[in-house]
mmCIF file of all heavy atoms in Angstrom:
data_model
loop_
_atom_site.group_PDB
_atom_site.id
_atom_site.type_symbol
_atom_site.label_atom_id
_atom_site.label_comp_id
_atom_site.label_asym_id
_atom_site.label_seq_id
_atom_site.Cartn_x
_atom_site.Cartn_y
_atom_site.Cartn_z
ATOM 1 N N TYR A 580 6.894 -14.655 1.771
ATOM 2 C CA TYR A 580 6.277 -14.349 0.487
ATOM 3 C C TYR A 580 4.780 -14.605 0.540
ATOM 4 O O TYR A 580 4.302 -15.485 1.248
ATOM 5 C CB TYR A 580 6.858 -15.221 -0.626
ATOM 6 C CG TYR A 580 8.345 -15.114 -0.782
ATOM 7 C CD1 TYR A 580 9.189 -16.066 -0.239
ATOM 8 C CD2 TYR A 580 8.911 -14.058 -1.491
ATOM 9 C CE1 TYR A 580 10.559 -15.981 -0.391
ATOM 10 C CE2 TYR A 580 10.277 -13.958 -1.644
ATOM 11 C CZ TYR A 580 11.099 -14.922 -1.094
ATOM 12 O OH TYR A 580 12.460 -14.832 -1.253
ATOM 13 N N LEU A 581 4.071 -13.843 -0.242
ATOM 14 C CA LEU A 581 2.670 -14.114 -0.480
ATOM 15 C C LEU A 581 2.427 -14.025 -1.979
ATOM 16 O O LEU A 581 2.425 -12.935 -2.553
ATOM 17 C CB LEU A 581 1.769 -13.134 0.269
ATOM 18 C CG LEU A 581 0.272 -13.408 0.174
ATOM 19 C CD1 LEU A 581 -0.077 -14.739 0.843
ATOM 20 C CD2 LEU A 581 -0.532 -12.277 0.797
ATOM 21 N N GLN A 582 2.250 -15.168 -2.593
ATOM 22 C CA GLN A 582 1.919 -15.217 -4.006
ATOM 23 C C GLN A 582 0.419 -15.053 -4.144
ATOM 24 O O GLN A 582 -0.353 -15.817 -3.568
ATOM 25 C CB GLN A 582 2.364 -16.553 -4.610
ATOM 26 C CG GLN A 582 2.028 -16.703 -6.088
ATOM 27 C CD GLN A 582 2.785 -15.741 -6.957
ATOM 28 O OE1 GLN A 582 3.992 -15.585 -6.801
ATOM 29 N NE2 GLN A 582 2.085 -15.064 -7.865
ATOM 30 N N MET A 583 0.014 -14.067 -4.896
ATOM 31 C CA MET A 583 -1.380 -13.693 -5.019
ATOM 32 C C MET A 583 -1.794 -13.843 -6.475
ATOM 33 O O MET A 583 -1.326 -13.105 -7.338
ATOM 34 C CB MET A 583 -1.593 -12.255 -4.547
ATOM 35 C CG MET A 583 -0.954 -11.979 -3.184
ATOM 36 S SD MET A 583 -0.886 -10.216 -2.777
ATOM 37 C CE MET A 583 -2.598 -9.931 -2.358
ATOM 38 N N ASN A 584 -2.654 -14.795 -6.728
ATOM 39 C CA ASN A 584 -3.133 -15.071 -8.076
ATOM 40 C C ASN A 584 -4.623 -14.789 -8.178
ATOM 41 O O ASN A 584 -5.322 -14.702 -7.174
ATOM 42 C CB ASN A 584 -2.866 -16.527 -8.448
ATOM 43 C CG ASN A 584 -1.403 -16.884 -8.448
ATOM 44 O OD1 ASN A 584 -0.547 -16.058 -8.751
ATOM 45 N ND2 ASN A 584 -1.106 -18.143 -8.131
ATOM 46 N N SER A 585 -5.088 -14.686 -9.398
ATOM 47 C CA SER A 585 -6.512 -14.473 -9.665
ATOM 48 C C SER A 585 -7.061 -13.323 -8.844
ATOM 49 O O SER A 585 -8.112 -13.427 -8.210
ATOM 50 C CB SER A 585 -7.297 -15.763 -9.391
ATOM 51 O OG SER A 585 -6.830 -16.825 -10.187
ATOM 52 N N LEU A 586 -6.362 -12.225 -8.873
ATOM 53 C CA LEU A 586 -6.713 -11.102 -8.018
ATOM 54 C C LEU A 586 -8.039 -10.478 -8.418
ATOM 55 O O LEU A 586 -8.403 -10.433 -9.596
ATOM 56 C CB LEU A 586 -5.605 -10.059 -8.045
ATOM 57 C CG LEU A 586 -4.362 -10.476 -7.258
ATOM 58 C CD1 LEU A 586 -3.173 -9.610 -7.633
ATOM 59 C CD2 LEU A 586 -4.632 -10.393 -5.761
ATOM 60 N N LYS A 587 -8.727 -9.999 -7.415
ATOM 61 C CA LYS A 587 -10.043 -9.408 -7.562
ATOM 62 C C LYS A 587 -10.034 -7.986 -7.011
ATOM 63 O O LYS A 587 -9.212 -7.656 -6.158
ATOM 64 C CB LYS A 587 -11.081 -10.235 -6.801
ATOM 65 C CG LYS A 587 -11.136 -11.692 -7.189
ATOM 66 C CD LYS A 587 -12.093 -12.456 -6.292
ATOM 67 C CE LYS A 587 -12.152 -13.918 -6.654
ATOM 68 N NZ LYS A 587 -13.074 -14.666 -5.770
ATOM 69 N N PRO A 588 -10.962 -7.156 -7.444
ATOM 70 C CA PRO A 588 -11.025 -5.803 -6.885
ATOM 71 C C PRO A 588 -11.147 -5.785 -5.367
ATOM 72 O O PRO A 588 -10.595 -4.888 -4.724
ATOM 73 C CB PRO A 588 -12.272 -5.217 -7.552
ATOM 74 C CG PRO A 588 -12.346 -5.928 -8.862
ATOM 75 C CD PRO A 588 -11.896 -7.331 -8.569
ATOM 76 N N GLU A 589 -11.831 -6.750 -4.801
ATOM 77 C CA GLU A 589 -11.977 -6.788 -3.354
ATOM 78 C C GLU A 589 -10.694 -7.136 -2.613
ATOM 79 O O GLU A 589 -10.652 -7.063 -1.380
ATOM 80 C CB GLU A 589 -13.093 -7.755 -2.943
ATOM 81 C CG GLU A 589 -12.965 -9.139 -3.557
ATOM 82 C CD GLU A 589 -13.827 -9.315 -4.799
ATOM 83 O OE1 GLU A 589 -13.852 -8.392 -5.639
ATOM 84 O OE2 GLU A 589 -14.478 -10.366 -4.929
ATOM 85 N N ASP A 590 -9.654 -7.509 -3.338
ATOM 86 C CA ASP A 590 -8.354 -7.720 -2.719
ATOM 87 C C ASP A 590 -7.603 -6.415 -2.488
ATOM 88 O O ASP A 590 -6.553 -6.426 -1.834
ATOM 89 C CB ASP A 590 -7.484 -8.638 -3.579
ATOM 90 C CG ASP A 590 -8.037 -10.045 -3.689
ATOM 91 O OD1 ASP A 590 -8.529 -10.580 -2.673
ATOM 92 O OD2 ASP A 590 -7.963 -10.618 -4.791
ATOM 93 N N THR A 591 -8.108 -5.335 -3.016
ATOM 94 C CA THR A 591 -7.444 -4.048 -2.867
ATOM 95 C C THR A 591 -7.321 -3.682 -1.395
ATOM 96 O O THR A 591 -8.315 -3.611 -0.669
ATOM 97 C CB THR A 591 -8.216 -2.958 -3.613
ATOM 98 O OG1 THR A 591 -8.190 -3.241 -5.015
ATOM 99 C CG2 THR A 591 -7.595 -1.589 -3.373
ATOM 100 N N ALA A 592 -6.102 -3.473 -0.955
ATOM 101 C CA ALA A 592 -5.841 -3.185 0.448
ATOM 102 C C ALA A 592 -4.366 -2.894 0.627
ATOM 103 O O ALA A 592 -3.541 -3.194 -0.244
ATOM 104 C CB ALA A 592 -6.240 -4.371 1.335
ATOM 105 N N ILE A 593 -4.047 -2.323 1.761
ATOM 106 C CA ILE A 593 -2.663 -2.296 2.196
ATOM 107 C C ILE A 593 -2.374 -3.630 2.857
ATOM 108 O O ILE A 593 -3.138 -4.084 3.712
ATOM 109 C CB ILE A 593 -2.391 -1.151 3.180
ATOM 110 C CG1 ILE A 593 -2.742 0.188 2.548
ATOM 111 C CG2 ILE A 593 -0.936 -1.154 3.622
ATOM 112 C CD1 ILE A 593 -2.658 1.356 3.515
ATOM 113 N N HIS A 594 -1.301 -4.245 2.454
ATOM 114 C CA HIS A 594 -0.915 -5.536 2.999
ATOM 115 C C HIS A 594 0.280 -5.387 3.927
ATOM 116 O O HIS A 594 1.259 -4.717 3.589
ATOM 117 C CB HIS A 594 -0.582 -6.517 1.873
ATOM 118 C CG HIS A 594 -1.795 -7.003 1.141
ATOM 119 N ND1 HIS A 594 -2.527 -6.197 0.302
ATOM 120 C CD2 HIS A 594 -2.410 -8.222 1.142
ATOM 121 C CE1 HIS A 594 -3.539 -6.886 -0.197
ATOM 122 N NE2 HIS A 594 -3.491 -8.112 0.299
ATOM 123 N N TYR A 595 0.184 -6.012 5.077
ATOM 124 C CA TYR A 595 1.215 -5.934 6.095
ATOM 125 C C TYR A 595 1.682 -7.339 6.461
ATOM 126 O O TYR A 595 0.867 -8.249 6.612
ATOM 127 C CB TYR A 595 0.683 -5.289 7.379
ATOM 128 C CG TYR A 595 0.133 -3.900 7.230
ATOM 129 C CD1 TYR A 595 -1.199 -3.697 6.909
ATOM 130 C CD2 TYR A 595 0.941 -2.793 7.450
ATOM 131 C CE1 TYR A 595 -1.720 -2.422 6.791
ATOM 132 C CE2 TYR A 595 0.431 -1.516 7.342
ATOM 133 C CZ TYR A 595 -0.909 -1.341 7.011
ATOM 134 O OH TYR A 595 -1.409 -0.067 6.911
ATOM 135 N N CYS A 596 2.965 -7.482 6.653
ATOM 136 C CA CYS A 596 3.443 -8.694 7.295
ATOM 137 C C CYS A 596 3.693 -8.399 8.764
ATOM 138 O O CYS A 596 3.909 -7.253 9.161
ATOM 139 C CB CYS A 596 4.698 -9.252 6.619
ATOM 140 S SG CYS A 596 6.190 -8.251 6.773
ATOM 141 N N ALA A 597 3.633 -9.430 9.564
ATOM 142 C CA ALA A 597 3.774 -9.254 10.997
ATOM 143 C C ALA A 597 4.358 -10.497 11.637
ATOM 144 O O ALA A 597 4.172 -11.613 11.153
ATOM 145 C CB ALA A 597 2.415 -8.939 11.632
ATOM 146 N N ALA A 598 5.053 -10.270 12.726
ATOM 147 C CA ALA A 598 5.606 -11.344 13.536
ATOM 148 C C ALA A 598 4.972 -11.304 14.910
ATOM 149 O O ALA A 598 4.724 -10.222 15.452
ATOM 150 C CB ALA A 598 7.119 -11.209 13.649
ATOM 151 N N PRO A 599 4.714 -12.445 15.508
ATOM 152 C CA PRO A 599 4.080 -12.468 16.826
ATOM 153 C C PRO A 599 5.047 -12.097 17.931
ATOM 154 O O PRO A 599 6.267 -12.145 17.763
ATOM 155 C CB PRO A 599 3.624 -13.920 16.960
ATOM 156 C CG PRO A 599 4.643 -14.684 16.179
ATOM 157 C CD PRO A 599 4.981 -13.805 15.009
ATOM 158 N N ARG A 600 4.481 -11.739 19.053
ATOM 159 C CA ARG A 600 5.290 -11.461 20.230
ATOM 160 C C ARG A 600 6.071 -12.694 20.667
ATOM 161 O O ARG A 600 7.266 -12.602 20.984
ATOM 162 C CB ARG A 600 4.399 -10.963 21.370
ATOM 163 C CG ARG A 600 5.141 -10.612 22.641
ATOM 164 C CD ARG A 600 4.204 -9.999 23.677
ATOM 165 N NE ARG A 600 3.676 -8.726 23.231
ATOM 166 C CZ ARG A 600 2.453 -8.537 22.739
ATOM 167 N NH1 ARG A 600 1.603 -9.553 22.661
ATOM 168 N NH2 ARG A 600 2.066 -7.331 22.361
ATOM 169 N N ASP A 601 5.413 -13.831 20.679
ATOM 170 C CA ASP A 601 6.048 -15.094 21.009
ATOM 171 C C ASP A 601 6.383 -15.809 19.715
ATOM 172 O O ASP A 601 5.506 -16.091 18.904
ATOM 173 C CB ASP A 601 5.130 -15.953 21.873
ATOM 174 C CG ASP A 601 4.774 -15.282 23.176
ATOM 175 O OD1 ASP A 601 5.678 -14.703 23.802
ATOM 176 O OD2 ASP A 601 3.592 -15.337 23.574
ATOM 177 N N ALA A 602 7.646 -16.122 19.538
ATOM 178 C CA ALA A 602 8.167 -16.537 18.243
ATOM 179 C C ALA A 602 7.374 -17.661 17.597
ATOM 180 O O ALA A 602 7.092 -17.622 16.399
ATOM 181 C CB ALA A 602 9.636 -16.928 18.383
ATOM 182 N N GLY A 603 7.018 -18.662 18.381
ATOM 183 C CA GLY A 603 6.379 -19.829 17.820
ATOM 184 C C GLY A 603 4.865 -19.763 17.755
ATOM 185 O O GLY A 603 4.230 -20.718 17.294
ATOM 186 N N TYR A 604 4.291 -18.665 18.197
ATOM 187 C CA TYR A 604 2.840 -18.560 18.219
ATOM 188 C C TYR A 604 2.279 -18.553 16.813
ATOM 189 O O TYR A 604 2.738 -17.810 15.951
ATOM 190 C CB TYR A 604 2.402 -17.290 18.949
ATOM 191 C CG TYR A 604 0.907 -17.152 19.034
ATOM 192 C CD1 TYR A 604 0.188 -17.765 20.049
ATOM 193 C CD2 TYR A 604 0.211 -16.426 18.074
ATOM 194 C CE1 TYR A 604 -1.188 -17.653 20.118
ATOM 195 C CE2 TYR A 604 -1.169 -16.316 18.136
ATOM 196 C CZ TYR A 604 -1.864 -16.928 19.154
ATOM 197 O OH TYR A 604 -3.231 -16.826 19.223
ATOM 198 N N LEU A 605 1.272 -19.372 16.600
ATOM 199 C CA LEU A 605 0.645 -19.482 15.287
ATOM 200 C C LEU A 605 -0.858 -19.535 15.453
ATOM 201 O O LEU A 605 -1.375 -20.375 16.186
ATOM 202 C CB LEU A 605 1.139 -20.731 14.564
ATOM 203 C CG LEU A 605 0.573 -20.988 13.172
ATOM 204 C CD1 LEU A 605 1.030 -19.908 12.200
ATOM 205 C CD2 LEU A 605 0.994 -22.366 12.676
ATOM 206 N N SER A 606 -1.534 -18.648 14.787
ATOM 207 C CA SER A 606 -2.981 -18.646 14.786
ATOM 208 C C SER A 606 -3.482 -18.620 13.348
ATOM 209 O O SER A 606 -2.776 -18.205 12.427
ATOM 210 C CB SER A 606 -3.541 -17.454 15.570
ATOM 211 O OG SER A 606 -3.157 -16.229 14.980
ATOM 212 N N HIS A 607 -4.700 -19.047 13.182
ATOM 213 C CA HIS A 607 -5.295 -19.107 11.857
ATOM 214 C C HIS A 607 -6.749 -18.671 11.935
ATOM 215 O O HIS A 607 -7.593 -19.407 12.459
ATOM 216 C CB HIS A 607 -5.178 -20.524 11.271
ATOM 217 C CG HIS A 607 -5.272 -21.621 12.288
ATOM 218 N ND1 HIS A 607 -4.219 -21.942 13.111
ATOM 219 C CD2 HIS A 607 -6.297 -22.455 12.618
ATOM 220 C CE1 HIS A 607 -4.594 -22.943 13.907
ATOM 221 N NE2 HIS A 607 -5.841 -23.264 13.615
ATOM 222 N N PRO A 608 -7.052 -17.497 11.416
ATOM 223 C CA PRO A 608 -6.116 -16.568 10.792
ATOM 224 C C PRO A 608 -5.232 -15.861 11.816
ATOM 225 O O PRO A 608 -5.511 -15.929 13.016
ATOM 226 C CB PRO A 608 -7.045 -15.577 10.085
ATOM 227 C CG PRO A 608 -8.247 -15.544 10.973
ATOM 228 C CD PRO A 608 -8.426 -16.965 11.444
ATOM 229 N N PRO A 609 -4.187 -15.209 11.358
ATOM 230 C CA PRO A 609 -3.360 -14.460 12.304
ATOM 231 C C PRO A 609 -4.159 -13.327 12.918
ATOM 232 O O PRO A 609 -5.080 -12.780 12.308
ATOM 233 C CB PRO A 609 -2.216 -13.935 11.427
ATOM 234 C CG PRO A 609 -2.793 -13.884 10.048
ATOM 235 C CD PRO A 609 -3.726 -15.051 9.963
ATOM 236 N N ARG A 610 -3.795 -12.964 14.120
ATOM 237 C CA ARG A 610 -4.513 -11.951 14.873
ATOM 238 C C ARG A 610 -3.645 -10.733 15.123
ATOM 239 O O ARG A 610 -2.520 -10.869 15.606
ATOM 240 C CB ARG A 610 -4.999 -12.508 16.206
ATOM 241 C CG ARG A 610 -6.025 -13.608 16.067
ATOM 242 C CD ARG A 610 -6.590 -13.994 17.411
ATOM 243 N NE ARG A 610 -7.656 -14.970 17.315
ATOM 244 C CZ ARG A 610 -8.457 -15.308 18.304
ATOM 245 N NH1 ARG A 610 -8.320 -14.744 19.493
ATOM 246 N NH2 ARG A 610 -9.396 -16.220 18.112
ATOM 247 N N PRO A 611 -4.165 -9.565 14.834
ATOM 248 C CA PRO A 611 -3.379 -8.355 15.106
ATOM 249 C C PRO A 611 -2.955 -8.224 16.559
ATOM 250 O O PRO A 611 -1.866 -7.719 16.840
ATOM 251 C CB PRO A 611 -4.336 -7.224 14.702
ATOM 252 C CG PRO A 611 -5.241 -7.839 13.687
ATOM 253 C CD PRO A 611 -5.428 -9.263 14.143
ATOM 254 N N THR A 612 -3.802 -8.686 17.480
ATOM 255 C CA THR A 612 -3.500 -8.525 18.892
ATOM 256 C C THR A 612 -2.320 -9.364 19.344
ATOM 257 O O THR A 612 -1.745 -9.099 20.402
ATOM 258 C CB THR A 612 -4.714 -8.871 19.755
ATOM 259 O OG1 THR A 612 -5.182 -10.180 19.417
ATOM 260 C CG2 THR A 612 -5.835 -7.870 19.535
ATOM 261 N N HIS A 613 -1.960 -10.369 18.576
ATOM 262 C CA HIS A 613 -0.823 -11.208 18.916
ATOM 263 C C HIS A 613 0.428 -10.853 18.116
ATOM 264 O O HIS A 613 1.450 -11.527 18.257
ATOM 265 C CB HIS A 613 -1.170 -12.681 18.691
ATOM 266 C CG HIS A 613 -2.169 -13.217 19.663
ATOM 267 N ND1 HIS A 613 -3.521 -13.201 19.426
ATOM 268 C CD2 HIS A 613 -2.004 -13.776 20.888
ATOM 269 C CE1 HIS A 613 -4.155 -13.734 20.457
ATOM 270 N NE2 HIS A 613 -3.261 -14.090 21.354
ATOM 271 N N SER A 614 0.332 -9.836 17.325
ATOM 272 C CA SER A 614 1.437 -9.437 16.467
ATOM 273 C C SER A 614 2.180 -8.272 17.101
ATOM 274 O O SER A 614 1.592 -7.219 17.359
ATOM 275 C CB SER A 614 0.929 -9.052 15.083
ATOM 276 O OG SER A 614 0.293 -10.158 14.462
ATOM 277 N N ALA A 615 3.450 -8.460 17.331
ATOM 278 C CA ALA A 615 4.267 -7.456 17.998
ATOM 279 C C ALA A 615 5.081 -6.607 17.037
ATOM 280 O O ALA A 615 5.467 -5.491 17.375
ATOM 281 C CB ALA A 615 5.206 -8.122 18.997
ATOM 282 N N HIS A 616 5.342 -7.134 15.859
ATOM 283 C CA HIS A 616 6.199 -6.456 14.899
ATOM 284 C C HIS A 616 5.489 -6.386 13.561
ATOM 285 O O HIS A 616 4.991 -7.397 13.066
ATOM 286 C CB HIS A 616 7.535 -7.187 14.756
ATOM 287 C CG HIS A 616 8.212 -7.463 16.058
ATOM 288 N ND1 HIS A 616 8.761 -6.465 16.826
ATOM 289 C CD2 HIS A 616 8.409 -8.615 16.736
ATOM 290 C CE1 HIS A 616 9.280 -6.996 17.924
ATOM 291 N NE2 HIS A 616 9.081 -8.296 17.888
ATOM 292 N N TRP A 617 5.492 -5.195 12.998
ATOM 293 C CA TRP A 617 4.769 -4.936 11.760
ATOM 294 C C TRP A 617 5.651 -4.280 10.727
ATOM 295 O O TRP A 617 6.513 -3.465 11.055
ATOM 296 C CB TRP A 617 3.582 -4.006 12.030
ATOM 297 C CG TRP A 617 2.530 -4.596 12.898
ATOM 298 C CD1 TRP A 617 2.475 -4.567 14.258
ATOM 299 C CD2 TRP A 617 1.366 -5.306 12.464
ATOM 300 N NE1 TRP A 617 1.351 -5.212 14.706
ATOM 301 C CE2 TRP A 617 0.653 -5.676 13.628
ATOM 302 C CE3 TRP A 617 0.865 -5.655 11.210
ATOM 303 C CZ2 TRP A 617 -0.547 -6.382 13.557
ATOM 304 C CZ3 TRP A 617 -0.321 -6.359 11.145
ATOM 305 C CH2 TRP A 617 -1.018 -6.710 12.310
ATOM 306 N N GLY A 618 5.409 -4.638 9.501
ATOM 307 C CA GLY A 618 6.006 -3.903 8.413
ATOM 308 C C GLY A 618 5.241 -2.625 8.141
ATOM 309 O O GLY A 618 4.207 -2.338 8.755
ATOM 310 N N GLN A 619 5.739 -1.859 7.206
ATOM 311 C CA GLN A 619 5.137 -0.567 6.887
ATOM 312 C C GLN A 619 3.949 -0.692 5.950
ATOM 313 O O GLN A 619 3.195 0.262 5.780
ATOM 314 C CB GLN A 619 6.190 0.361 6.266
ATOM 315 C CG GLN A 619 6.467 0.149 4.782
ATOM 316 C CD GLN A 619 7.242 -1.118 4.466
ATOM 317 O OE1 GLN A 619 7.765 -1.780 5.351
ATOM 318 N NE2 GLN A 619 7.313 -1.454 3.179
ATOM 319 N N GLY A 620 3.794 -1.831 5.345
ATOM 320 C CA GLY A 620 2.690 -2.072 4.439
ATOM 321 C C GLY A 620 3.056 -1.823 2.996
ATOM 322 O O GLY A 620 3.925 -1.016 2.675
#
């Protein structure tokens, strides 16, 4: 889940969730290059 409050016009975007190639990999912020699985947005 992503709870989004106090939304602003600059938040306008397609939002995607993603899972990394390696299950436990965690980066901050997440990196597209480490994401193997993507939702449709």
